[in-house]
C-alpha cells in the first residue's frame, strides 16, 4: 500500500472521519508539510510519550497525580464522578466545580459486556475510605446506561455514609420550551423552584 | 502549553475539525496509543517524507513522474486539466478517464491575489509543445472562479491549435429534477440529447 493510502486508511479510522474527509485532510497536510504536518507529527509524538493517566482520578495530563488532584486550592471533600475524561474537561470548562473528579471509564453495559469490575468503582471506594470525602456528585450522562451506572454506584456508596447527589434535570440555559423533549420538560416542571 | 493542548491546537487547524472534534480525536487516540496513535504517527511521518509532487502533472504520489504519467497504457494524447489533486483522484475513482492529467493548483482569483503565474499554466503549454497532445479537457469546478479560469486557460491554449473541451453540465445520475437548481436544469435542457 502506498504511503498516501496508508495514511488515509489510518486517518479514516478516527472518530468523525470517513474516507472523504481523510482524503481532504491528507491533501491539506501534504500541501503544508512544514507549517502543519511536521508540527502535528511532533505534537502527536510528544503527546503519545508524555500524556499519562492520573492514578487517582483517571484524568489525562502531563503528570500523575494530575494537575487537578495536585491542586491544593480545590475542595478535597467533593468528588464528581464522570463517565469519561471528555466529561471532566466539559465540567472544567464550565468553571462551575472546584472539587476533585473521578473518571469511571465508561458505563455498565450488559450488551457490551462491561461489568462493574471494568469501571474504576473500587478505586472510588478506596478514595472515600481515605476519609476526606464529604459528598460524591454523580455527573453521569442522562442516558439509560449512564443512569443505570449512577444507580449502581450510588448503591455501592451507601455503606460509606458519604452524601451522594446527582446533576439536576431541567431546561438548558438559552433553551426553548417548544424544542425540548417531554421527559426534560416534565423533569423541569417537577423540580421547579420558588422565585425569590 | 501542555502536550495535550498543543496536540488539540494542531488538530483543530485541520479542515473540517474544530476544538470539539479535535478534543474527541485526542481522547480517542490517547486511549488507543498502540493500536491507533503510533501507527498513525508512523504513517504520517512516512507520507511527509516519501510523498512527492509529480513534476509533470502535479499529482501527489510515491514517485516523480507519478504512476499515471508513467503508465504507458494510458492515452497520452488526452490531458484533463483539474484545479486540485482531489479532483484528479475523484476522476480516477470514476474510472471514466484513461488519459493524462494536469493539476493547475487552484483557480484565478483577484480577491485572493492568485494570478496566472501562480497556476501551472506555463507548464501545461510546455507539455502541449512537446507535441503528443490531441485534446485538452478542462475539468474545472462549475464555480465562478473555476469557469473564469477555464475561460482563461482555453484562450491561452488557442494558439497551440489543440482541441479544447469542457465537462458537460446536466442532471446528476440518480438526481431528482425537483431538487435541482435552475441553472443546472436549464443547462441540462439546452444540452439535451436525442434518444436512440
Amino acid at each position: 500500500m502506498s504511503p498516501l493510502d496508508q495514511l488515509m486508511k489510518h486517518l479514516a479510522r478516527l472518530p468523525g472521519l470517513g474516507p472523504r474527509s481523510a482524503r481532504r485532510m491528507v491533501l491539506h497536510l501534504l500541501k503544508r508539510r512544514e507549517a502543519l504536518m511536521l508540527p502535528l507529527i511532533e505534537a502527536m509524538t510528544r503527546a503519545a510519550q508524555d500524556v499519562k493517566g492520573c492514578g487517582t482520578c483517571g484524568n489525562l495530563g502531563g503528570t500523575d497525580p494530575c494537575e487537578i488532584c495536585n491542586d491544593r486550592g480545590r475542595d478535597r471533600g467533593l468528588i464528581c464522578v464522570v463517565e469519561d475524561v471528555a466529561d471532566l474537561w466539559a465540567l472544567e470548562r464550565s468553571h462551575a466545580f472546584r472539587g476533585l473528579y473521578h473518571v469511571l471509564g465508561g458505563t455498565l453495559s450488559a450488551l457490551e459486556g462491561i461489568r462493574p469490575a471494568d469501571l474504576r468503582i473500587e478505586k472510588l471506594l478506596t478514595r472515600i475510605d481515605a476519609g476526606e470525602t464529604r459528598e460524591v456528585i454523580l455527573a453521569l450522562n442522562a442516558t439509560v446506561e449512564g443512569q443505570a451506572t449512577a444507580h449502581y454506584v450510588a448503591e455501592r456508596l451507601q455503606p460509606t455514609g458519604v452524601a451522594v447527589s446527582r446533576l439536576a434535570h431541567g431546561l438548558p440555559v438559552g433553551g426553548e420550551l417548544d424544542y425540548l423533549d417531554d421527559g426534560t420538560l416534565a423533569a423541569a416542571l417537577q423540580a421547579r423552584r420558588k422565585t425569590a
Side-chain angles (χ1 to χ4, degrees), chain A:
Chain A
M1 202 184 275
S2 84
L4 267 173
D5 293 328
Q6 195 87 30
L7 178 54
M8 283 190 273
K9 196 192 74 184
H10 279 103
L11 278 174
R13 282 199 207 142
L14 297 182
L17 292 187
R20 195 192 193 87
S21 42
R23 220 154 43 219
R24 264 184 71 205
M25 210 166 267
V26 167
L27 284 172
H28 191 85
L29 284 168
L30 284 169
K31 278 188 208 156
R32 295 160 190 81
R33 278 182 230 207
E34 298 296 325
L36 213 64
M37 196 169 186
L38 299 183
L40 174 60
I41 292 173
E42 210 194 297
M44 215 177 266
T45 309
R46 221 184 117 210
Q49 282 165 358
D50 294 352
V51 174
K52 344 182 194 314
C54 173
T56 307
C57 74
N59 187 17
L60 288 170
T63 54
D64 174 20
C66 72
E67 267 182 56
I68 295 173
C69 287
N70 270 336
D71 185 348
R72 288 284 138 189
R74 299 184 78 115
D75 183 348
R76 311 190 77 77
L78 274 177
I79 295 183
C80 181
V81 175
V82 293
E83 287 179 28
D84 205 71
V85 176
D87 303 327
L88 188 165
W89 291 355
L91 280 160
E92 278 299 289
R93 283 196 302 279
S94 77
H95 297 290
F97 181 68
R98 293 292 300 165
L100 304 179
Y101 291 95
H102 193 84
V103 178
L104 285 182
T107 48
L108 299 175
S109 164
L111 260 175
E112 296 177 38
I114 302 176
R115 292 152 309 131
D118 299 321
L119 304 180
R120 301 176 70 255
I121 296 175
E122 286 303 328
K123 186 81 210 170
L124 174 64
L125 294 169
T126 315
R127 285 179 76 183
I128 290 164
D129 277 344
E132 263 190 314
T133 314
R134 225 168 44 242
E135 180 181 348
V136 172
I137 303 169
L138 299 173
L140 302 183
N141 288 334
T143 56
V144 174
E145 295 82 14
Q147 294 308 298
T149 308
H151 189 81
Y152 177 84
V153 174
E155 265 186 1
R156 292 288 301 271
L157 289 173
Q158 225 209 322
T160 66
V162 82
V164 178
S165 59
R166 295 196 191 194
L167 293 189
H169 285 304
L171 188 64
V173 174
E176 295 180 41
L177 287 193
D178 197 19
Y179 291 98
L180 215 57
D181 65 289
D182 298 347
T184 307
L185 209 47
L189 202 59
Q190 210 170 17
R192 68 191 178 280
R193 301 196 307 174
K194 229 178 172 162
T195 52

